[in-house]
Amino acid sequence: MAEIEGSQGLEAGIVTLEVLRREGRLPPPEILEKVAVPIIDCLEDIPCTPCRDVCPTGAITMKTMIDRPKLNWEACTGCTLCAQACPGLAINIVNYHFGRKSLKRPGYEDYSLVMIPYELVPIPKKGDMVAILDRAGKRLGEAEVFSVIKSPKFGTVMVNVLVPQSIAFQVKGVEVKA
Amino acid sequence: MQDRRIPEHPILSWERRNPVKLNYDGKQVVAYPNETVAAALYAAGVVAFTRSSYLHRPRGPFCMIGKCSQCMMRVDGVPHVRTCILPVDDGMIVESEEPHISDYPTPRYELKVEKQDLSYDFVIVGAGPAGLSAALSAAPSGMRIAVLDQSPYPGGQLIKQTHKFFGTKESFAGTRGIDIAKDLVSRIKDYPNIELYPMTQVIGYYPPEGVLVAARADGVGKYNVLTIRAGKFLIAAGAMERTLAFPGNDLPGIMGAGSAQTLMNVFGIRPADDVMIIGAGNVGVIVAYQAKQAGINVKAVIDILPKTAAYIVHAAKIRRMQIPMLMGYTIKGAYGKDAVESAVIYGMDRAFRPIEGSEEEIKVDGIWMAVGLSPSSELLSKMGSKIKFVPELGGYVPYRTKYLETSVKGVYVAGDASGIEEASTAMMEGRIAGISAAMSAGRGTDSMAEERRKAIEWLDLFRESPDYRRIKEGISKVLIQEAA
């Protein structure tokens, strides 16, 4: 573990939920009822367009190549392609009501499926327990790996974990022990 | 001997078959055919390659791309060989040089030099993103093109980038640097009129006839000295990593961030177990991430500025992986006997004065410098191109037109040698320079003119980004306005 905590704040690369809320990056509750949604931690005007280019429904738009992605919540189908394509690994996909609507496992009604791009080793397996981390690297606990999918086109692995709805938007990364 | 090779990596794999053996100061070192001598020694845990000539301090590689002189050793009797760009060969005898006791020059070796006269329509120096893109864009003209590079491996610094690139479809966005390099090189091979010269170092330029002299290494101590005449030249020689002045900054284990990338990603070798990175800009945070991919513990990324200069997405990636970033910190000194063992850092206030009581000692066996790059414009200067020091572009850069022709007719520049930017812009500049060289030779086509127009338009748009304000300012200082 790190011996030094490090500087805090956006100036030192730590994004917070408040910042995302202010930027309109957290979905309105009625959207969560419908589909999985991308949480896009992209806060600068970067000349970068893969998320827009890969989106099959045109839900992500940019005014020019140098613009933040703007997401049309209504048009998004939650297909996860943007999360696989993003060069900054800045996009998680949250299927908020996964426990109640899809999983149907007793005791998991209030669980979400959070899909996280991952480019480290070891690659976890379905059923493994992994540590879940927030945007500052703080451990939020452990989570069960529901599935692992390697993007054939982009080579990025999506690690999909079951986490309580209360922290579904807080979780940003996973740590897998060898 | 230890084996510091990385067994498993999320993105990369390395072919490790048919091992060969090196003799290093009497000890046997195992190496693999696609490794360089310096990489193989690092894999065996050797970090001190030579000694300074006056104080006899131990020295290790700093750049790993053939630009510095800290990896020089005696190989098969030949002194001062840059081991970082010398591929291994079975039975090679590698010796540390002790310049203070060496009997250099000695009769222990014989240089075999052959001379060859060559002539091309277009000669490109540098097989990185700019040089390769230029060759590809100029090739449809039918010009006979040579691309020279001192490295054994074409692709420049793309060959060590594991992350997907920003940009748009036109600039390989979403593709990893390693894959862009493969794509460029494979397309070069489709053109019979492009010839790649790896392991070929330019050693001089002789006006007024305009003869470029290069030495092509053909094994140790064997050189083909090429005298090359060409109608057009493009210098895309890239950049050199900078370092900082602090006590102990020459200890082995302290190297450029790009050097660490070469070891980790080109050769699959862990340069250190515990590392501190100086500089929290894009290079610093990306290399921290790559270190984590290679299984290296990053103890801290420090930066003297209060705010990271990196894109937040890149910085955020390492923060959620628990890598501490210390803003407003700098290094006081590096300590260790034969290699770096620790670093002392301290905090600074907004006026860059040390904060009392903020000193911390960090145990590390590696310190990587990500404190910027300097354009490699020496050759352009030698060729007579007018040069100016432009801080916004990272140092001494040539004046150029919007078509990237320097003040010397027929001599072009592209990529980091024209000013420090990124690989995406280097590729676009390469296209513009390559097409311009062909067009000014009267060999352009309509579709090339259209490709150039699009590339210029793309670059202009790309540089509208807020992060490029400084770069645009810098370019305006060295832009030659052409008469209409």
Side-chain angles (χ1 to χ4, degrees):
Chain A
M1 269 316 94
E3 293 157 18
I4 300 162
E5 198 190 350
S7 309
Q8 299 299 305
L10 204 55
E11 303 199 329
I14 297 177
V15 180
T16 58
L17 284 178
E18 287 76 71
V19 171
L20 293 175
R21 195 167 291 126
R22 201 166 59 223
E23 292 277 327
R25 297 306 166 86
L26 298 181
E30 63 274 15
I31 292 296
L32 295 176
E33 285 293 333
K34 287 201 300 193
V35 286
V37 286
I39 306 301
I40 307 176
D41 283 31
C42 181
L43 305 164
E44 292 170 299
D45 297 340
I46 304 172
C48 183
T49 63
C51 63
R52 177 193 71 182
D53 299 340
V54 82
C55 179
T57 65
I60 297 175
T61 52
M62 292 175 192
K63 283 200 278 301
T64 67
M65 73 154 110
I66 309 158
D67 194 13
R68 300 159 207 220
K70 193 172 178 319
L71 177 66
N72 177 349
W73 300 104
E74 299 292 336
C76 174
T77 62
C79 74
T80 80
L81 277 174
C82 56
Q84 298 170 33
C86 174
L89 305 186
I91 306 177
N92 280 4
I93 307 289
V94 176
N95 188 336
Y96 193 73
H97 293 297
F98 183 77
R100 176 160 58 80
K101 291 191 165 173
S102 308
L103 184 64
K104 299 192 173 126
R105 190 197 289 175
Y108 280 78
E109 291 78 11
D110 293 338
Y111 272 68
S112 299
L113 186 68
V114 179
M115 299 168 239
I116 299 169
Y118 178 82
E119 294 191 346
L120 293 170
V121 282
I123 293 167
K125 293 186 305 294
K126 180 180 168 70
D128 285 354
M129 295 301 285
V130 295
I132 44 177
L133 309 168
D134 75 2
R135 289 170 173 78
K138 199 180 102 197
R139 265 178 87 114
L140 298 170
E142 286 209 319
E144 178 190 327
V145 175
F146 180 74
S147 58
V148 177
I149 296 160
K150 184 166 182 180
S151 165
K153 181 158 178 221
F154 300 99
T156 300
V157 169
M158 297 298 293
V159 175
N160 306 330
V161 289
L162 293 169
V163 305
Q165 284 178 337
S166 57
I167 55 166
F169 298 113
Q170 245 174 299
V171 174
K172 189 65 191 174
V174 294
E175 189 190 12
V176 186
K177 287 267 179 281
Chain B
M1 292 246 136
Q2 16 173 342
D3 187 357
R4 304 188 55 83
R5 289 181 181 83
I6 299 163
E8 191 192 7
H9 191 282
I11 308 295
L12 305 166
S13 60
W14 301 272
E15 197 166 304
R16 289 179 183 142
R17 282 183 297 184
N18 310 317
V20 298
K21 292 184 185 81
L22 307 180
N23 180 314
Y24 160 66
D25 285 348
K27 295 180 282 278
Q28 184 180 295
V29 171
V30 174
Y32 294 94
N34 50 1
E35 292 175 344
T36 61
V37 170
L41 292 181
Y42 236 95
V46 178
V47 294
F49 282 43
T50 181
R51 283 184 180 274
S52 68
S53 52
Y54 187 61
L55 293 173
H56 314 156
R57 290 169 65 84
R59 289 278 162 83
F62 180 79
C63 84
M64 274 289 187
I65 53 168
K67 296 212 179 196
C68 80
S69 52
Q70 300 203 162
C71 69
M72 282 185 174
M73 301 178 93
R74 187 188 286 265
V75 182
D76 290 344
V78 181
H80 298 356
V81 176
R82 278 201 171 94
T83 55
C84 77
I85 50 171
L86 175 69
V88 294
D89 207 353
D90 197 35
M92 262 181 177
I93 297 168
V94 182
E95 298 164 89
S96 308
E97 289 184 332
E98 301 275 342
H100 53 295
I101 52 165
S102 105
D103 45 0
Y104 172 79
T106 70
R108 285 164 58 195
Y109 68 98
E110 199 183 324
L111 283 183
K112 292 194 188 69
V113 178
E114 276 175 31
K115 193 172 165 292
Q116 203 179 344
D117 285 315
L118 297 169
S119 148
Y120 284 93
D121 296 317
F122 185 23
V123 168
I124 297 169
V125 178
L132 294 180
S133 302
L136 284 172
S137 293
S141 70
M143 285 173 121
R144 289 187 58 248
I145 303 168
V147 186
L148 322 178
D149 199 297
Q150 60 183 354
S151 166
Y153 320 100
Q157 310 317 306
L158 288 173
I159 63 172
K160 51 203 196 190
Q161 303 308 337
T162 60
H163 62 286
K164 291 176 275 191
F165 276 36
F166 287 165
T168 66
K169 277 178 281 196
E170 294 78 11
S171 70
F172 296 92
T175 310
R176 295 171 207 280
I178 43 166
D179 297 324
I180 298 175
K182 278 183 207 148
D183 178 90
L184 294 175
V185 173
S186 80
R187 283 195 286 139
I188 289 269
K189 288 182 177 153
D190 291 340
Y191 282 104
N193 55 326
I194 306 178
E195 191 143 3
L196 274 181
Y197 286 87
M199 297 183 69
T200 303
Q201 189 169 28
V202 173
I203 52 177
Y205 178 80
Y206 296 89
E209 311 98 292
V211 179
L212 198 67
V213 180
R216 179 179 198 172
D218 179 23
V220 181
K222 277 167 72 185
Y223 296 98
N224 258 334
V225 173
L226 315 173
T227 52
I228 312 173
R229 285 172 175 79
K232 307 284 172 191
F233 291 98
L234 166 64
I235 308 308
M240 168 80 190
E241 293 193 278
R242 293 192 197 142
T243 188
L244 288 180
F246 56 85
N249 71 351
D250 60 341
L251 281 168
I254 300 177
M255 60 176 70
S259 183
Q261 288 187 320
T262 303
L263 283 166
M264 293 188 294
N265 301 340
V266 179
F267 301 112
I269 292 159
R270 275 184 299 116
D273 292 323
D274 295 292
V275 71
M276 179 175 87
I277 295 165
I278 304 182
N282 280 317
V283 173
V285 299
I286 286 172
V287 82
Y289 175 72
Q290 294 178 350
K292 205 82 174 174
Q293 289 183 315
I296 295 164
N297 181 24
V298 183
K299 289 227 169 153
V301 180
I302 68 167
D303 199 304
I304 196 164
L305 297 173
K307 178 184 183 300
T308 175
Y311 289 122
I312 291 171
V313 288
H314 283 322
K317 223 160 53 173
I318 70 165
R319 294 315 303 269
R320 63 174 174 265
M321 293 161 94
Q322 304 177 313
I323 296 175
M325 241 163 86
L326 287 166
M327 304 311 298
Y329 269 77
T330 193
I331 184 164
K332 185 181 180 190
Y335 307 91
K337 197 169 153 278
D338 297 318
V340 62
E341 292 164 24
S342 73
V344 172
I345 60 169
Y346 59 90
M348 304 194 98
D349 64 20
R350 300 260 157 160
F352 299 111
R353 286 177 304 235
I355 297 169
E356 219 173 297
S358 64
E359 265 188 35
E360 277 194 72
E361 190 191 22
I362 305 180
K363 297 270 176 218
V364 287
D365 59 348
I367 298 176
W368 301 346
M369 310 299 300
V371 292
L373 300 150
S374 297
S376 293
S377 55
E378 300 88 345
L379 181 58
L380 284 158
S381 173
K382 175 83 184 157
M383 294 172 93
S385 297
K386 199 176 157 203
I387 304 280
K388 184 185 170 91
F389 185 81
V390 182
E392 294 91 338
L393 299 178
Y396 289 96
V397 293
Y399 283 81
R400 82 297 300 264
T401 67
K402 72 170 172 177
Y403 297 133
L404 296 160
E405 190 170 22
T406 69
S407 63
V408 177
K409 276 267 165 273
V411 176
Y412 294 80
V413 68
D416 275 355
S418 75
I420 305 303
E421 278 186 272
E422 35 190 295
S424 318
T425 51
M427 288 187 275
M428 284 298 163
E429 286 195 338
R431 277 184 209 177
I432 296 165
I435 293 172
S436 299
M439 287 176 72
S440 70
R443 305 184 66 165
T445 62
D446 287 351
S447 71
M448 286 166 76
E450 176 59 13
E451 189 189 335
R452 182 173 73 170
R453 191 193 60 75
K454 279 190 185 151
I456 290 172
E457 192 181 275
W458 188 96
L459 258 187
D460 285 348
L461 195 57
F462 191 94
R463 288 178 180 144
E464 285 299 314
S465 155
D467 298 280
Y468 275 75
R469 213 162 287 145
R470 261 176 68 80
I471 286 178
K472 271 175 70 176
E473 235 167 76
I475 292 172
S476 71
K477 292 183 181 173
V478 280
L479 195 65
I480 303 172
Q481 299 295 345
E482 271 187 308

